[in-house]
PDB file of all heavy atoms in Angstrom:
ATOM      1  N   ARG A1331       0.237   6.347 -15.649  1.00 86.00           N
ATOM      2  CA  ARG A1331       1.057   5.250 -16.173  1.00 86.00           C
ATOM      3  C   ARG A1331       0.901   4.002 -15.295  1.00 86.00           C
ATOM      4  O   ARG A1331       0.594   4.106 -14.119  1.00 86.00           O
ATOM      5  CB  ARG A1331       2.537   5.660 -16.217  1.00 86.00           C
ATOM      6  CG  ARG A1331       2.834   6.728 -17.230  1.00 86.00           C
ATOM      7  CD  ARG A1331       4.286   7.164 -17.167  1.00 86.00           C
ATOM      8  NE  ARG A1331       4.610   7.768 -15.887  1.00 86.00           N
ATOM      9  CZ  ARG A1331       5.460   7.230 -15.017  1.00 86.00           C
ATOM     10  NH1 ARG A1331       6.081   6.103 -15.293  1.00 86.00           N
ATOM     11  NH2 ARG A1331       5.704   7.840 -13.875  1.00 86.00           N
ATOM     12  N   ARG A1332       1.113   2.865 -15.883  1.00 87.00           N
ATOM     13  CA  ARG A1332       1.024   1.608 -15.133  1.00 87.00           C
ATOM     14  C   ARG A1332       2.262   1.474 -14.252  1.00 87.00           C
ATOM     15  O   ARG A1332       3.387   1.532 -14.739  1.00 87.00           O
ATOM     16  CB  ARG A1332       0.927   0.432 -16.099  1.00 87.00           C
ATOM     17  CG  ARG A1332       0.395  -0.844 -15.470  1.00 87.00           C
ATOM     18  CD  ARG A1332       0.206  -1.907 -16.556  1.00 87.00           C
ATOM     19  NE  ARG A1332      -0.402  -3.114 -16.024  1.00 87.00           N
ATOM     20  CZ  ARG A1332      -1.708  -3.320 -15.975  1.00 87.00           C
ATOM     21  NH1 ARG A1332      -2.521  -2.379 -16.415  1.00 87.00           N
ATOM     22  NH2 ARG A1332      -2.182  -4.451 -15.493  1.00 87.00           N
ATOM     23  N   SER A1333       2.070   1.294 -12.967  1.00 91.00           N
ATOM     24  CA  SER A1333       3.186   1.228 -12.025  1.00 91.00           C
ATOM     25  C   SER A1333       3.863  -0.130 -12.077  1.00 91.00           C
ATOM     26  O   SER A1333       3.249  -1.151 -11.734  1.00 91.00           O
ATOM     27  CB  SER A1333       2.689   1.489 -10.598  1.00 91.00           C
ATOM     28  OG  SER A1333       3.616   1.018  -9.649  1.00 91.00           O
ATOM     29  N   PRO A1334       5.133  -0.184 -12.488  1.00 94.00           N
ATOM     30  CA  PRO A1334       5.818  -1.495 -12.485  1.00 94.00           C
ATOM     31  C   PRO A1334       5.951  -2.065 -11.085  1.00 94.00           C
ATOM     32  O   PRO A1334       5.903  -3.285 -10.902  1.00 94.00           O
ATOM     33  CB  PRO A1334       7.172  -1.176 -13.109  1.00 94.00           C
ATOM     34  CG  PRO A1334       7.364   0.291 -12.903  1.00 94.00           C
ATOM     35  CD  PRO A1334       6.000   0.897 -12.942  1.00 94.00           C
ATOM     36  N   TYR A1335       6.097  -1.185 -10.093  1.00 95.00           N
ATOM     37  CA  TYR A1335       6.236  -1.662  -8.721  1.00 95.00           C
ATOM     38  C   TYR A1335       4.920  -2.243  -8.207  1.00 95.00           C
ATOM     39  O   TYR A1335       4.889  -3.302  -7.575  1.00 95.00           O
ATOM     40  CB  TYR A1335       6.716  -0.520  -7.828  1.00 95.00           C
ATOM     41  CG  TYR A1335       6.848  -0.886  -6.366  1.00 95.00           C
ATOM     42  CD1 TYR A1335       7.714  -1.889  -5.953  1.00 95.00           C
ATOM     43  CD2 TYR A1335       6.096  -0.221  -5.398  1.00 95.00           C
ATOM     44  CE1 TYR A1335       7.843  -2.233  -4.617  1.00 95.00           C
ATOM     45  CE2 TYR A1335       6.220  -0.544  -4.055  1.00 95.00           C
ATOM     46  CZ  TYR A1335       7.095  -1.558  -3.662  1.00 95.00           C
ATOM     47  OH  TYR A1335       7.216  -1.883  -2.340  1.00 95.00           O
ATOM     48  N   ASN A1336       3.811  -1.560  -8.495  1.00 94.00           N
ATOM     49  CA  ASN A1336       2.516  -2.078  -8.072  1.00 94.00           C
ATOM     50  C   ASN A1336       2.223  -3.428  -8.719  1.00 94.00           C
ATOM     51  O   ASN A1336       1.706  -4.350  -8.070  1.00 94.00           O
ATOM     52  CB  ASN A1336       1.411  -1.077  -8.433  1.00 94.00           C
ATOM     53  CG  ASN A1336       0.801  -0.424  -7.193  1.00 94.00           C
ATOM     54  OD1 ASN A1336       0.963  -0.904  -6.086  1.00 94.00           O
ATOM     55  ND2 ASN A1336       0.098   0.671  -7.399  1.00 94.00           N
ATOM     56  N   GLU A1337       2.538  -3.543  -9.999  1.00 94.00           N
ATOM     57  CA  GLU A1337       2.299  -4.815 -10.677  1.00 94.00           C
ATOM     58  C   GLU A1337       3.148  -5.927 -10.063  1.00 94.00           C
ATOM     59  O   GLU A1337       2.704  -7.068  -9.921  1.00 94.00           O
ATOM     60  CB  GLU A1337       2.599  -4.675 -12.179  1.00 94.00           C
ATOM     61  CG  GLU A1337       1.701  -3.688 -12.897  1.00 94.00           C
ATOM     62  CD  GLU A1337       0.229  -3.985 -12.707  1.00 94.00           C
ATOM     63  OE1 GLU A1337      -0.175  -5.143 -12.932  1.00 94.00           O
ATOM     64  OE2 GLU A1337      -0.526  -3.066 -12.314  1.00 94.00           O
ATOM     65  N   TRP A1338       4.370  -5.590  -9.673  1.00 96.00           N
ATOM     66  CA  TRP A1338       5.236  -6.585  -9.039  1.00 96.00           C
ATOM     67  C   TRP A1338       4.675  -6.993  -7.678  1.00 96.00           C
ATOM     68  O   TRP A1338       4.679  -8.182  -7.329  1.00 96.00           O
ATOM     69  CB  TRP A1338       6.644  -6.016  -8.901  1.00 96.00           C
ATOM     70  CG  TRP A1338       7.617  -6.989  -8.320  1.00 96.00           C
ATOM     71  CD1 TRP A1338       8.310  -7.973  -8.970  1.00 96.00           C
ATOM     72  CD2 TRP A1338       8.003  -7.080  -6.935  1.00 96.00           C
ATOM     73  NE1 TRP A1338       9.099  -8.665  -8.084  1.00 96.00           N
ATOM     74  CE2 TRP A1338       8.938  -8.140  -6.838  1.00 96.00           C
ATOM     75  CE3 TRP A1338       7.661  -6.375  -5.791  1.00 96.00           C
ATOM     76  CZ2 TRP A1338       9.520  -8.507  -5.629  1.00 96.00           C
ATOM     77  CZ3 TRP A1338       8.242  -6.734  -4.578  1.00 96.00           C
ATOM     78  CH2 TRP A1338       9.155  -7.794  -4.500  1.00 96.00           C
ATOM     79  N   LEU A1339       4.186  -6.008  -6.900  1.00 96.00           N
ATOM     80  CA  LEU A1339       3.609  -6.334  -5.591  1.00 96.00           C
ATOM     81  C   LEU A1339       2.409  -7.267  -5.737  1.00 96.00           C
ATOM     82  O   LEU A1339       2.240  -8.211  -4.955  1.00 96.00           O
ATOM     83  CB  LEU A1339       3.182  -5.050  -4.868  1.00 96.00           C
ATOM     84  CG  LEU A1339       4.290  -4.166  -4.305  1.00 96.00           C
ATOM     85  CD1 LEU A1339       3.697  -2.907  -3.677  1.00 96.00           C
ATOM     86  CD2 LEU A1339       5.146  -4.900  -3.277  1.00 96.00           C
ATOM     87  N   LYS A1340       1.584  -7.013  -6.735  1.00 96.00           N
ATOM     88  CA  LYS A1340       0.429  -7.889  -6.958  1.00 96.00           C
ATOM     89  C   LYS A1340       0.895  -9.309  -7.269  1.00 96.00           C
ATOM     90  O   LYS A1340       0.294 -10.292  -6.806  1.00 96.00           O
ATOM     91  CB  LYS A1340      -0.425  -7.338  -8.095  1.00 96.00           C
ATOM     92  CG  LYS A1340      -1.109  -6.023  -7.765  1.00 96.00           C
ATOM     93  CD  LYS A1340      -1.814  -5.465  -8.994  1.00 96.00           C
ATOM     94  CE  LYS A1340      -2.368  -4.068  -8.741  1.00 96.00           C
ATOM     95  NZ  LYS A1340      -2.999  -3.491  -9.956  1.00 96.00           N
ATOM     96  N   ALA A1341       1.966  -9.419  -8.053  1.00 96.00           N
ATOM     97  CA  ALA A1341       2.493 -10.740  -8.398  1.00 96.00           C
ATOM     98  C   ALA A1341       3.047 -11.466  -7.181  1.00 96.00           C
ATOM     99  O   ALA A1341       3.109 -12.706  -7.167  1.00 96.00           O
ATOM    100  CB  ALA A1341       3.576 -10.602  -9.475  1.00 96.00           C
ATOM    101  N   GLN A1342       3.437 -10.712  -6.146  1.00 96.00           N
ATOM    102  CA  GLN A1342       3.940 -11.331  -4.914  1.00 96.00           C
ATOM    103  C   GLN A1342       2.819 -11.720  -3.963  1.00 96.00           C
ATOM    104  O   GLN A1342       3.086 -12.270  -2.887  1.00 96.00           O
ATOM    105  CB  GLN A1342       4.903 -10.380  -4.184  1.00 96.00           C
ATOM    106  CG  GLN A1342       6.057  -9.867  -5.021  1.00 96.00           C
ATOM    107  CD  GLN A1342       6.784 -10.950  -5.771  1.00 96.00           C
ATOM    108  OE1 GLN A1342       7.282 -11.903  -5.158  1.00 96.00           O
ATOM    109  NE2 GLN A1342       6.841 -10.825  -7.099  1.00 96.00           N
ATOM    110  N   GLY A1343       1.578 -11.413  -4.340  1.00 96.00           N
ATOM    111  CA  GLY A1343       0.442 -11.810  -3.512  1.00 96.00           C
ATOM    112  C   GLY A1343      -0.132 -10.714  -2.642  1.00 96.00           C
ATOM    113  O   GLY A1343      -1.045 -10.979  -1.844  1.00 96.00           O
ATOM    114  N   TYR A1344       0.369  -9.504  -2.746  1.00 95.00           N
ATOM    115  CA  TYR A1344      -0.222  -8.411  -1.967  1.00 95.00           C
ATOM    116  C   TYR A1344      -1.592  -8.075  -2.547  1.00 95.00           C
ATOM    117  O   TYR A1344      -1.729  -7.852  -3.759  1.00 95.00           O
ATOM    118  CB  TYR A1344       0.692  -7.183  -1.988  1.00 95.00           C
ATOM    119  CG  TYR A1344       1.941  -7.359  -1.170  1.00 95.00           C
ATOM    120  CD1 TYR A1344       3.118  -7.819  -1.754  1.00 95.00           C
ATOM    121  CD2 TYR A1344       1.948  -7.099   0.201  1.00 95.00           C
ATOM    122  CE1 TYR A1344       4.269  -8.008  -1.005  1.00 95.00           C
ATOM    123  CE2 TYR A1344       3.092  -7.278   0.953  1.00 95.00           C
ATOM    124  CZ  TYR A1344       4.248  -7.736   0.353  1.00 95.00           C
ATOM    125  OH  TYR A1344       5.389  -7.926   1.098  1.00 95.00           O
ATOM    126  N   PRO A1345      -2.626  -8.011  -1.714  1.00 93.00           N
ATOM    127  CA  PRO A1345      -3.995  -7.855  -2.228  1.00 93.00           C
ATOM    128  C   PRO A1345      -4.349  -6.397  -2.513  1.00 93.00           C
ATOM    129  O   PRO A1345      -3.658  -5.472  -2.084  1.00 93.00           O
ATOM    130  CB  PRO A1345      -4.845  -8.399  -1.075  1.00 93.00           C
ATOM    131  CG  PRO A1345      -4.037  -8.080   0.149  1.00 93.00           C
ATOM    132  CD  PRO A1345      -2.589  -8.228  -0.256  1.00 93.00           C
ATOM    133  N   GLY A1346      -5.448  -6.244  -3.241  1.00 91.00           N
ATOM    134  CA  GLY A1346      -6.003  -4.930  -3.496  1.00 91.00           C
ATOM    135  C   GLY A1346      -5.489  -4.320  -4.783  1.00 91.00           C
ATOM    136  O   GLY A1346      -4.462  -4.730  -5.326  1.00 91.00           O
ATOM    137  N   PRO A1347      -6.209  -3.299  -5.282  1.00 90.00           N
ATOM    138  CA  PRO A1347      -5.821  -2.655  -6.542  1.00 90.00           C
ATOM    139  C   PRO A1347      -4.594  -1.766  -6.426  1.00 90.00           C
ATOM    140  O   PRO A1347      -3.956  -1.463  -7.427  1.00 90.00           O
ATOM    141  CB  PRO A1347      -7.066  -1.835  -6.911  1.00 90.00           C
ATOM    142  CG  PRO A1347      -7.725  -1.557  -5.587  1.00 90.00           C
ATOM    143  CD  PRO A1347      -7.479  -2.761  -4.741  1.00 90.00           C
ATOM    144  N   ASN A1348      -4.244  -1.349  -5.200  1.00 92.00           N
ATOM    145  CA  ASN A1348      -3.110  -0.424  -5.032  1.00 92.00           C
ATOM    146  C   ASN A1348      -2.296  -0.812  -3.803  1.00 92.00           C
ATOM    147  O   ASN A1348      -2.335  -0.134  -2.771  1.00 92.00           O
ATOM    148  CB  ASN A1348      -3.597   1.019  -4.899  1.00 92.00           C
ATOM    149  CG  ASN A1348      -2.478   2.047  -5.026  1.00 92.00           C
ATOM    150  OD1 ASN A1348      -1.308   1.710  -4.878  1.00 92.00           O
ATOM    151  ND2 ASN A1348      -2.831   3.291  -5.288  1.00 92.00           N
ATOM    152  N   PRO A1349      -1.541  -1.915  -3.875  1.00 94.00           N
ATOM    153  CA  PRO A1349      -0.733  -2.309  -2.715  1.00 94.00           C
ATOM    154  C   PRO A1349       0.344  -1.290  -2.362  1.00 94.00           C
ATOM    155  O   PRO A1349       0.820  -1.277  -1.229  1.00 94.00           O
ATOM    156  CB  PRO A1349      -0.134  -3.651  -3.135  1.00 94.00           C
ATOM    157  CG  PRO A1349      -0.252  -3.688  -4.626  1.00 94.00           C
ATOM    158  CD  PRO A1349      -1.446  -2.878  -4.981  1.00 94.00           C
ATOM    159  N   TRP A1350       0.769  -0.442  -3.325  1.00 94.00           N
ATOM    160  CA  TRP A1350       1.699   0.643  -2.981  1.00 94.00           C
ATOM    161  C   TRP A1350       1.109   1.498  -1.872  1.00 94.00           C
ATOM    162  O   TRP A1350       1.798   1.867  -0.916  1.00 94.00           O
ATOM    163  CB  TRP A1350       1.981   1.507  -4.209  1.00 94.00           C
ATOM    164  CG  TRP A1350       2.824   2.707  -3.917  1.00 94.00           C
ATOM    165  CD1 TRP A1350       4.183   2.787  -3.956  1.00 94.00           C
ATOM    166  CD2 TRP A1350       2.374   4.016  -3.524  1.00 94.00           C
ATOM    167  NE1 TRP A1350       4.612   4.055  -3.610  1.00 94.00           N
ATOM    168  CE2 TRP A1350       3.505   4.831  -3.338  1.00 94.00           C
ATOM    169  CE3 TRP A1350       1.114   4.569  -3.297  1.00 94.00           C
ATOM    170  CZ2 TRP A1350       3.425   6.160  -2.944  1.00 94.00           C
ATOM    171  CZ3 TRP A1350       1.032   5.903  -2.904  1.00 94.00           C
ATOM    172  CH2 TRP A1350       2.187   6.682  -2.736  1.00 94.00           C
ATOM    173  N   GLN A1351      -0.168   1.816  -2.001  1.00 94.00           N
ATOM    174  CA  GLN A1351      -0.815   2.701  -1.042  1.00 94.00           C
ATOM    175  C   GLN A1351      -1.227   1.982   0.230  1.00 94.00           C
ATOM    176  O   GLN A1351      -1.098   2.528   1.334  1.00 94.00           O
ATOM    177  CB  GLN A1351      -2.042   3.350  -1.702  1.00 94.00           C
ATOM    178  CG  GLN A1351      -2.730   4.420  -0.875  1.00 94.00           C
ATOM    179  CD  GLN A1351      -3.613   5.306  -1.737  1.00 94.00           C
ATOM    180  OE1 GLN A1351      -3.171   6.316  -2.265  1.00 94.00           O
ATOM    181  NE2 GLN A1351      -4.861   4.924  -1.889  1.00 94.00           N
ATOM    182  N   ASP A1352      -1.711   0.740   0.099  1.00 94.00           N
ATOM    183  CA  ASP A1352      -2.289   0.032   1.240  1.00 94.00           C
ATOM    184  C   ASP A1352      -1.304  -0.841   2.004  1.00 94.00           C
ATOM    185  O   ASP A1352      -1.627  -1.286   3.114  1.00 94.00           O
ATOM    186  CB  ASP A1352      -3.463  -0.843   0.769  1.00 94.00           C
ATOM    187  CG  ASP A1352      -4.608  -0.009   0.219  1.00 94.00           C
ATOM    188  OD1 ASP A1352      -4.679   1.190   0.549  1.00 94.00           O
ATOM    189  OD2 ASP A1352      -5.426  -0.555  -0.553  1.00 94.00           O
ATOM    190  N   HIS A1353      -0.112  -1.096   1.427  1.00 96.00           N
ATOM    191  CA  HIS A1353       0.863  -1.964   2.098  1.00 96.00           C
ATOM    192  C   HIS A1353       2.229  -1.298   2.221  1.00 96.00           C
ATOM    193  O   HIS A1353       2.748  -1.148   3.330  1.00 96.00           O
ATOM    194  CB  HIS A1353       0.978  -3.306   1.364  1.00 96.00           C
ATOM    195  CG  HIS A1353      -0.225  -4.171   1.531  1.00 96.00           C
ATOM    196  ND1 HIS A1353      -0.375  -5.051   2.577  1.00 96.00           N
ATOM    197  CD2 HIS A1353      -1.366  -4.259   0.793  1.00 96.00           C
ATOM    198  CE1 HIS A1353      -1.533  -5.667   2.481  1.00 96.00           C
ATOM    199  NE2 HIS A1353      -2.161  -5.204   1.407  1.00 96.00           N
ATOM    200  N   ALA A1354       2.833  -0.928   1.074  1.00 96.00           N
ATOM    201  CA  ALA A1354       4.172  -0.345   1.124  1.00 96.00           C
ATOM    202  C   ALA A1354       4.188   0.977   1.863  1.00 96.00           C
ATOM    203  O   ALA A1354       5.218   1.372   2.421  1.00 96.00           O
ATOM    204  CB  ALA A1354       4.713  -0.163  -0.294  1.00 96.00           C
ATOM    205  N   ASN A1355       3.055   1.675   1.887  1.00 95.00           N
ATOM    206  CA  ASN A1355       3.004   3.002   2.508  1.00 95.00           C
ATOM    207  C   ASN A1355       1.874   3.114   3.521  1.00 95.00           C
ATOM    208  O   ASN A1355       1.239   4.168   3.659  1.00 95.00           O
ATOM    209  CB  ASN A1355       2.878   4.067   1.425  1.00 95.00           C
ATOM    210  CG  ASN A1355       4.167   4.248   0.654  1.00 95.00           C
ATOM    211  OD1 ASN A1355       5.108   4.887   1.114  1.00 95.00           O
ATOM    212  ND2 ASN A1355       4.239   3.631  -0.529  1.00 95.00           N
ATOM    213  N   ALA A1356       1.656   2.032   4.239  1.00 96.00           N
ATOM    214  CA  ALA A1356       0.650   2.026   5.297  1.00 96.00           C
ATOM    215  C   ALA A1356       1.018   0.990   6.346  1.00 96.00           C
ATOM    216  O   ALA A1356       1.644  -0.027   6.033  1.00 96.00           O
ATOM    217  CB  ALA A1356      -0.740   1.733   4.733  1.00 96.00           C
ATOM    218  N   GLY A1357       0.638   1.261   7.588  1.00 96.00           N
ATOM    219  CA  GLY A1357       0.823   0.304   8.666  1.00 96.00           C
ATOM    220  C   GLY A1357      -0.485  -0.392   8.987  1.00 96.00           C
ATOM    221  O   GLY A1357      -1.479  -0.268   8.261  1.00 96.00           O
ATOM    222  N   VAL A1358      -0.490  -1.134  10.095  1.00 95.00           N
ATOM    223  CA  VAL A1358      -1.685  -1.848  10.540  1.00 95.00           C
ATOM    224  C   VAL A1358      -1.963  -1.480  11.987  1.00 95.00           C
ATOM    225  O   VAL A1358      -1.065  -1.526  12.838  1.00 95.00           O
ATOM    226  CB  VAL A1358      -1.507  -3.380  10.413  1.00 95.00           C
ATOM    227  CG1 VAL A1358      -2.781  -4.089  10.868  1.00 95.00           C
ATOM    228  CG2 VAL A1358      -1.173  -3.760   8.985  1.00 95.00           C
ATOM    229  N   GLY A1359      -3.220  -1.108  12.264  1.00 95.00           N
ATOM    230  CA  GLY A1359      -3.617  -0.755  13.616  1.00 95.00           C
ATOM    231  C   GLY A1359      -3.923  -1.966  14.470  1.00 95.00           C
ATOM    232  O   GLY A1359      -3.925  -3.111  13.978  1.00 95.00           O
ATOM    233  N   PRO A1360      -4.213  -1.753  15.759  1.00 94.00           N
ATOM    234  CA  PRO A1360      -4.441  -2.876  16.685  1.00 94.00           C
ATOM    235  C   PRO A1360      -5.650  -3.722  16.312  1.00 94.00           C
ATOM    236  O   PRO A1360      -5.722  -4.910  16.665  1.00 94.00           O
ATOM    237  CB  PRO A1360      -4.637  -2.181  18.034  1.00 94.00           C
ATOM    238  CG  PRO A1360      -4.976  -0.758  17.706  1.00 94.00           C
ATOM    239  CD  PRO A1360      -4.271  -0.458  16.436  1.00 94.00           C
ATOM    240  N   ASP A1361      -6.593  -3.151  15.586  1.00 94.00           N
ATOM    241  CA  ASP A1361      -7.778  -3.898  15.183  1.00 94.00           C
ATOM    242  C   ASP A1361      -7.719  -4.302  13.710  1.00 94.00           C
ATOM    243  O   ASP A1361      -8.738  -4.625  13.097  1.00 94.00           O
ATOM    244  CB  ASP A1361      -9.036  -3.062  15.444  1.00 94.00           C
ATOM    245  CG  ASP A1361      -9.223  -2.745  16.919  1.00 94.00           C
ATOM    246  OD1 ASP A1361      -8.954  -3.651  17.746  1.00 94.00           O
ATOM    247  OD2 ASP A1361      -9.600  -1.608  17.241  1.00 94.00           O
ATOM    248  N   GLY A1362      -6.514  -4.267  13.127  1.00 95.00           N
ATOM    249  CA  GLY A1362      -6.345  -4.665  11.746  1.00 95.00           C
ATOM    250  C   GLY A1362      -6.648  -3.589  10.729  1.00 95.00           C
ATOM    251  O   GLY A1362      -6.629  -3.850   9.525  1.00 95.00           O
ATOM    252  N   GLU A1363      -6.904  -2.379  11.195  1.00 95.00           N
ATOM    253  CA  GLU A1363      -7.233  -1.296  10.279  1.00 95.00           C
ATOM    254  C   GLU A1363      -5.977  -0.755   9.596  1.00 95.00           C
ATOM    255  O   GLU A1363      -4.877  -0.823  10.143  1.00 95.00           O
ATOM    256  CB  GLU A1363      -7.961  -0.165  11.006  1.00 95.00           C
ATOM    257  CG  GLU A1363      -7.110   0.649  11.978  1.00 95.00           C
ATOM    258  CD  GLU A1363      -7.025   0.054  13.373  1.00 95.00           C
ATOM    259  OE1 GLU A1363      -7.279  -1.161  13.527  1.00 95.00           O
ATOM    260  OE2 GLU A1363      -6.703   0.808  14.311  1.00 95.00           O
ATOM    261  N   ILE A1364      -6.163  -0.237   8.385  1.00 95.00           N
ATOM    262  CA  ILE A1364      -5.056   0.376   7.654  1.00 95.00           C
ATOM    263  C   ILE A1364      -4.697   1.702   8.304  1.00 95.00           C
ATOM    264  O   ILE A1364      -5.559   2.540   8.564  1.00 95.00           O
ATOM    265  CB  ILE A1364      -5.441   0.588   6.172  1.00 95.00           C
ATOM    266  CG1 ILE A1364      -5.549  -0.748   5.449  1.00 95.00           C
ATOM    267  CG2 ILE A1364      -4.420   1.477   5.476  1.00 95.00           C
ATOM    268  CD1 ILE A1364      -6.019  -0.622   4.004  1.00 95.00           C
ATOM    269  N   LEU A1365      -3.404   1.872   8.578  1.00 95.00           N
ATOM    270  CA  LEU A1365      -2.884   3.146   9.085  1.00 95.00           C
ATOM    271  C   LEU A1365      -2.124   3.821   7.943  1.00 95.00           C
ATOM    272  O   LEU A1365      -0.943   3.562   7.731  1.00 95.00           O
ATOM    273  CB  LEU A1365      -1.965   2.916  10.289  1.00 95.00           C
ATOM    274  CG  LEU A1365      -2.588   2.245  11.513  1.00 95.00           C
ATOM    275  CD1 LEU A1365      -1.536   2.049  12.609  1.00 95.00           C
ATOM    276  CD2 LEU A1365      -3.758   3.068  12.050  1.00 95.00           C
ATOM    277  N   SER A1366      -2.810   4.652   7.208  1.00 96.00           N
ATOM    278  CA  SER A1366      -2.209   5.237   6.008  1.00 96.00           C
ATOM    279  C   SER A1366      -1.011   6.112   6.349  1.00 96.00           C
ATOM    280  O   SER A1366      -1.066   6.957   7.247  1.00 96.00           O
ATOM    281  CB  SER A1366      -3.247   6.080   5.262  1.00 96.00           C
ATOM    282  OG  SER A1366      -2.655   6.779   4.186  1.00 96.00           O
ATOM    283  N   GLY A1367       0.064   5.910   5.577  1.00 96.00           N
ATOM    284  CA  GLY A1367       1.249   6.741   5.752  1.00 96.00           C
ATOM    285  C   GLY A1367       1.034   8.180   5.332  1.00 96.00           C
ATOM    286  O   GLY A1367       1.868   9.039   5.638  1.00 96.00           O
ATOM    287  N   TRP A1368      -0.072   8.452   4.623  1.00 94.00           N
ATOM    288  CA  TRP A1368      -0.369   9.847   4.270  1.00 94.00           C
ATOM    289  C   TRP A1368      -0.641  10.685   5.514  1.00 94.00           C
ATOM    290  O   TRP A1368      -0.421  11.896   5.499  1.00 94.00           O
ATOM    291  CB  TRP A1368      -1.561   9.918   3.330  1.00 94.00           C
ATOM    292  CG  TRP A1368      -1.270   9.461   1.940  1.00 94.00           C
ATOM    293  CD1 TRP A1368      -1.800   8.381   1.299  1.00 94.00           C
ATOM    294  CD2 TRP A1368      -0.374  10.068   1.007  1.00 94.00           C
ATOM    295  NE1 TRP A1368      -1.300   8.268   0.027  1.00 94.00           N
ATOM    296  CE2 TRP A1368      -0.415   9.298  -0.179  1.00 94.00           C
ATOM    297  CE3 TRP A1368       0.455  11.176   1.043  1.00 94.00           C
ATOM    298  CZ2 TRP A1368       0.341   9.610  -1.312  1.00 94.00           C
ATOM    299  CZ3 TRP A1368       1.209  11.492  -0.075  1.00 94.00           C
ATOM    300  CH2 TRP A1368       1.146  10.715  -1.225  1.00 94.00           C
ATOM    301  N   TYR A1369      -1.125  10.062   6.586  1.00 95.00           N
ATOM    302  CA  TYR A1369      -1.364  10.785   7.830  1.00 95.00           C
ATOM    303  C   TYR A1369      -0.071  10.823   8.629  1.00 95.00           C
ATOM    304  O   TYR A1369       0.479   9.787   8.994  1.00 95.00           O
ATOM    305  CB  TYR A1369      -2.466  10.119   8.646  1.00 95.00           C
ATOM    306  CG  TYR A1369      -3.783  10.010   7.904  1.00 95.00           C
ATOM    307  CD1 TYR A1369      -4.430   8.783   7.786  1.00 95.00           C
ATOM    308  CD2 TYR A1369      -4.366  11.131   7.324  1.00 95.00           C
ATOM    309  CE1 TYR A1369      -5.627   8.675   7.107  1.00 95.00           C
ATOM    310  CE2 TYR A1369      -5.565  11.030   6.636  1.00 95.00           C
ATOM    311  CZ  TYR A1369      -6.193   9.804   6.528  1.00 95.00           C
ATOM    312  OH  TYR A1369      -7.380   9.702   5.848  1.00 95.00           O
ATOM    313  N   LEU A1370       0.422  12.024   8.885  1.00 95.00           N
ATOM    314  CA  LEU A1370       1.734  12.164   9.511  1.00 95.00           C
ATOM    315  C   LEU A1370       1.815  11.466  10.860  1.00 95.00           C
ATOM    316  O   LEU A1370       2.878  10.978  11.244  1.00 95.00           O
ATOM    317  CB  LEU A1370       2.084  13.648   9.645  1.00 95.00           C
ATOM    318  CG  LEU A1370       2.207  14.421   8.323  1.00 95.00           C
ATOM    319  CD1 LEU A1370       2.490  15.899   8.593  1.00 95.00           C
ATOM    320  CD2 LEU A1370       3.290  13.823   7.436  1.00 95.00           C
ATOM    321  N   ARG A1371       0.702  11.405  11.572  1.00 94.00           N
ATOM    322  CA  ARG A1371       0.739  10.767  12.890  1.00 94.00           C
ATOM    323  C   ARG A1371       1.038   9.274  12.798  1.00 94.00           C
ATOM    324  O   ARG A1371       1.426   8.644  13.790  1.00 94.00           O
ATOM    325  CB  ARG A1371      -0.578  11.003  13.620  1.00 94.00           C
ATOM    326  CG  ARG A1371      -1.755  10.259  13.011  1.00 94.00           C
ATOM    327  CD  ARG A1371      -3.020  10.497  13.808  1.00 94.00           C
ATOM    328  NE  ARG A1371      -4.149   9.730  13.284  1.00 94.00           N
ATOM    329  CZ  ARG A1371      -5.365   9.763  13.826  1.00 94.00           C
ATOM    330  NH1 ARG A1371      -5.592  10.532  14.877  1.00 94.00           N
ATOM    331  NH2 ARG A1371      -6.331   9.032  13.309  1.00 94.00           N
ATOM    332  N   ASN A1372       0.835   8.673  11.607  1.00 96.00           N
ATOM    333  CA  ASN A1372       1.097   7.242  11.426  1.00 96.00           C
ATOM    334  C   ASN A1372       2.517   6.951  10.985  1.00 96.00           C
ATOM    335  O   ASN A1372       2.859   5.787  10.738  1.00 96.00           O
ATOM    336  CB  ASN A1372       0.128   6.663  10.396  1.00 96.00           C
ATOM    337  CG  ASN A1372      -1.307   6.639  10.882  1.00 96.00           C
ATOM    338  OD1 ASN A1372      -1.560   6.608  12.086  1.00 96.00           O
ATOM    339  ND2 ASN A1372      -2.252   6.659   9.952  1.00 96.00           N
TER     340      ASN A1372
END
């Protein structure tokens, strides 16, 4: 299904096809790398 939340994030300027995964549920490492929330250590 089309995610209403993802579509809203895109409208706010969050980049990428899946800002839910890359922004709402991920951090940023010291070198700008994505720290995915799927990894428990993050």
Side-chain angles (χ1 to χ4, degrees):
R1331 292 176 297 114
R1332 198 174 185 90
S1333 161
Y1335 178 61
N1336 249 343
E1337 297 305 309
W1338 183 83
L1339 287 177
K1340 293 174 187 177
Q1342 306 311 303
Y1344 288 93
N1348 192 342
W1350 175 90
Q1351 187 161 270
D1352 296 339
H1353 289 272
N1355 287 282
V1358 181
D1361 298 320
E1363 70 274 21
I1364 291 176
L1365 299 178
S1366 173
W1368 287 115
Y1369 302 127
L1370 298 177
R1371 69 178 183 179
N1372 292 335

